[in-house]
Amino acid sequence: MAFVFYAAVGVVSVRVLNSYDPDGLARIVRAQGMLFGHDPHVGAIGFVQPPLPVLVELPFVLLLRPLGQVLLAGVAVSALFGALLLAQVNALLCRFGLPRGWRLAWLLLFAVHPLILRDSALGLSEAPFLAFILLSLNGFLAWQQEQRISRLIVAAIAASLAFYCRYEALVWIIAMTLAVGWEFFRRDRAAWWSPAQATMLFFLVIPAQAVALWLLVSLLFTGNPVNFLTGPGAIRGATNTARLAGATQPFASAYGSAWDTLLLLGQQIADVAPLLIPATALYGLLVARRRKGGALLLLVYALIAFIGVLALSGLLPPLPRFFTWLVPAGLILAADCYSAVASGIQRRTIAATAVLLLLVPVLRLGVAAWPQTDGPLLKRIAAASIAQPRLSGAPADSGSLSGYREVAAYLDPEPSGTLTLLDASPGGAIALFARRPQDLVMTADRDFVRRLRTPGSTQRLLVPDPASEAAAGSDVLKQYPDLYDQ
């Protein structure tokens, strides 16, 4: 049912609202480039973003591109992982003992949260990332309760798969290793180190192999094992971060300021996941009273701390999806608090408060998106539900597909074999709408650099306006900075 719901939301976004998330488009572009591009090859995956979402999209692109529905490949994959995410949330709530009624209410409000809804319908990597993170957490909690090493193996495999979705999983892997050690220390402070050391190393083996494999593959295809850190398109070179964009970037105040970073995190928590605030306070009280061990608090806040480090370093893009983890974080802590209290009144209070605080961002973010919408009432409601949330200090992006369709329609009448050199960063999604994507030479193609440096080797150069924000990522304008003046 969850898969059908998220798939339907994605189809409405594509077919009715003519909208799709730009990062979701980029993943489909890479999958299509591996199969139907100008130079189909494995290297078209880019080796910058983690590979799993793109690899899973390949069979869907193979099936849907000939039918003219390639965008639905991203919809299908994100809906699939969105359903897996809800299954893991449900498993966690069952583990913490929530009755069926409260559990369904929490699940429903979690499922329609604007960030979760968008990530699970429009091809983003957050849905698979969160699904595997929560699967890893489920494995850890099962090991914590049962002390069966097989449960820790599940946690390690899931954490490795999360790394293949988003690199933040490295922080999760480190935090979980520390949480394993903490559990041994908490239970036997006199003789904890030896068994803890062995178990921590055992847990790390699988994720370490996963990371080593990705570094090796990147080295073989790009000649740079850390291409995802230093290569084209890596976050260090992202033009929408405070480090490069300067004071005009919405999160620029946090750059270099620990206090402003804390204020930024607090504001985003209030916007996205107000449940996290009382859940953290209550959980901290339970830890102080030794009714909880604290490992869950470490795991939940490790990823939040990483967001803070990015903001402090000036590397946090002003994209709401970077704060998606806040939503399940609050839910998880609230559920564990529910399990820790014995009084029926206390449990009902926690459950009812969670319902209210899960509902608040759903309504508030939807109302905030309403002015961006137009058309009939039902269409406006759908658009407001799917719109990228306008968080404090961050711009909203409509994700309109009209511009890509228009440029593709302009290129399509050209004779077959008329090559166009296309910057993948600002306009790669044009290839998804072009009738002949093989005529578009993009940055991942092996002959891109040669053709870029050889005037006349392609019939057209397609570049953004040098005054636009996209121009900073244009390889063509970097090669020919005076192109518009000629």
Side-chain angles (χ1 to χ4, degrees):
M1 182 179 292
F3 171 81
V4 173
F5 169 68
Y6 285 132
V9 170
V11 170
V12 168
S13 182
V14 172
R15 309 300 296 176
V16 178
L17 304 178
N18 192 39
S19 175
Y20 203 89
D21 191 276
D23 285 332
L25 290 176
R27 286 169 177 79
I28 308 175
V29 168
R30 289 197 288 272
Q32 178 178 274
M34 295 174 69
L35 298 171
F36 299 105
H38 168 73
D39 178 27
H41 65 297
V42 174
I45 200 171
F47 295 98
V48 172
Q49 299 298 329
L52 186 58
V54 175
L55 294 176
V56 177
E57 283 182 3
L58 286 176
F60 293 94
V61 170
L62 186 63
L63 174 66
L64 294 170
R65 172 72 203 192
L67 302 177
Q69 303 294 333
V70 70
L71 288 188
L72 298 187
V75 170
V77 170
S78 58
L80 180 67
F81 284 114
L84 177 60
L85 171 59
L86 288 189
Q88 292 307 311
V89 173
N90 183 59
L92 281 168
L93 298 184
C94 287
R95 181 177 298 280
F96 291 129
L98 261 79
R100 177 179 173 84
W102 289 119
R103 190 170 75 249
L104 290 178
W106 287 28
L107 269 176
L108 175 62
L109 292 172
F110 176 84
V112 298
H113 188 288
L115 283 177
I116 301 299
L117 188 64
R118 187 176 180 87
D119 293 344
S120 299
L122 300 184
L124 290 160
S125 60
E126 276 69 23
F129 170 71
L130 291 179
F132 290 127
I133 286 292
L134 295 189
L135 176 58
S136 178
L137 178 59
N138 264 312
F140 172 80
L141 293 175
W143 168 80
Q144 192 180 48
Q145 294 171 0
E146 305 167 15
Q147 290 298 295
R148 292 170 56 186
I149 201 67
S150 60
R151 304 301 190 188
L152 207 57
I153 292 175
V154 170
I157 293 174
S160 302
L161 291 172
F163 168 76
Y164 284 138
C165 297
R166 294 193 64 81
Y167 296 126
E168 293 96 310
L170 286 172
V171 177
W172 178 265
I173 291 167
I174 294 171
M176 185 160 284
T177 305
L178 296 176
V180 169
W182 171 252
E183 280 301 298
F184 281 99
F185 176 77
R186 186 174 64 88
R187 291 175 181 177
D188 185 2
R189 299 191 179 190
W192 70 279
W193 175 241
S194 181
Q197 184 181 31
T199 308
M200 291 162 69
L201 289 174
F202 179 83
F203 169 80
L204 276 174
V205 167
I206 296 175
Q209 290 176 336
V211 173
L213 177 61
W214 182 234
L215 296 179
L216 176 61
V217 172
S218 181
L219 175 63
L220 293 176
F221 280 90
T222 70
N224 181 6
V226 291
N227 189 68
F228 62 93
L229 288 176
T230 61
I235 191 170
R236 285 181 175 274
T239 58
N240 60 347
T241 60
R243 180 172 289 188
L244 292 182
T248 59
Q249 206 259 10
F251 298 155
S253 62
Y255 182 21
S257 170
W259 174 248
D260 286 330
T261 296
L262 291 175
L263 291 179
L264 170 64
L265 289 176
Q267 184 61 63
Q268 302 306 332
I269 290 172
D271 284 345
V272 173
L275 174 60
L276 183 58
I277 300 171
T280 299
L282 180 55
Y283 198 89
L285 181 62
L286 292 172
V287 171
R289 293 183 175 181
R290 298 191 177 182
R291 295 173 66 178
K292 284 292 173 185
L296 188 61
L297 202 63
L298 167 64
L299 291 170
V300 163
Y301 271 91
L303 291 175
I304 298 175
F306 178 71
I307 298 171
V309 170
L310 287 180
L312 184 65
S313 304
L315 295 173
L316 181 65
L319 301 174
R321 62 186 180 81
F322 276 85
F323 300 97
T324 303
W325 169 248
L326 302 176
V327 185
L331 194 81
I332 292 163
L333 288 181
D336 203 6
C337 289
Y338 178 95
S339 71
V341 298
S343 167
I345 294 177
Q346 291 176 333
R347 286 192 163 194
R348 286 192 292 272
T349 301
I350 291 173
T353 302
V355 168
L356 177 62
L357 293 179
L358 285 169
L359 179 62
V360 166
V362 173
L363 296 178
R364 193 193 68 76
L365 294 175
V367 170
W370 188 260
Q372 307 169 36
T373 66
D374 54 28
L377 179 61
L378 289 179
K379 183 178 179 181
R380 294 191 70 183
I381 292 174
S385 301
I386 301 173
Q388 176 169 280
R390 186 187 292 273
L391 303 183
S392 300
D397 187 340
S398 66
S400 175
L401 301 174
S402 299
Y404 301 120
R405 295 186 193 275
E406 290 170 3
V407 176
Y410 171 77
L411 295 175
D412 281 343
E414 295 292 333
S416 178
T418 301
L419 297 182
T420 299
L421 199 69
L422 173 65
D423 274 316
S425 176
I430 293 168
L432 301 177
F433 303 96
R435 287 203 301 263
R436 297 184 303 276
Q438 64 272 18
D439 287 348
L440 300 178
V441 184
M442 301 174 67
T443 50
D445 295 325
R446 287 169 289 191
D447 58 345
F448 177 84
V449 174
R450 176 179 62 80
R451 292 183 182 277
L452 177 64
R453 296 174 179 174
T454 309
S457 60
T458 58
Q459 285 69 47
R460 292 180 183 273
L461 294 176
L462 197 59
V463 294
D465 187 319
S468 69
E469 182 180 341
S474 170
D475 291 281
V476 177
L477 288 179
K478 290 175 184 176
Q479 180 70 24
Y480 303 108
D482 301 325
L483 182 65
Y484 268 80
D485 298 330
Q486 298 177 5

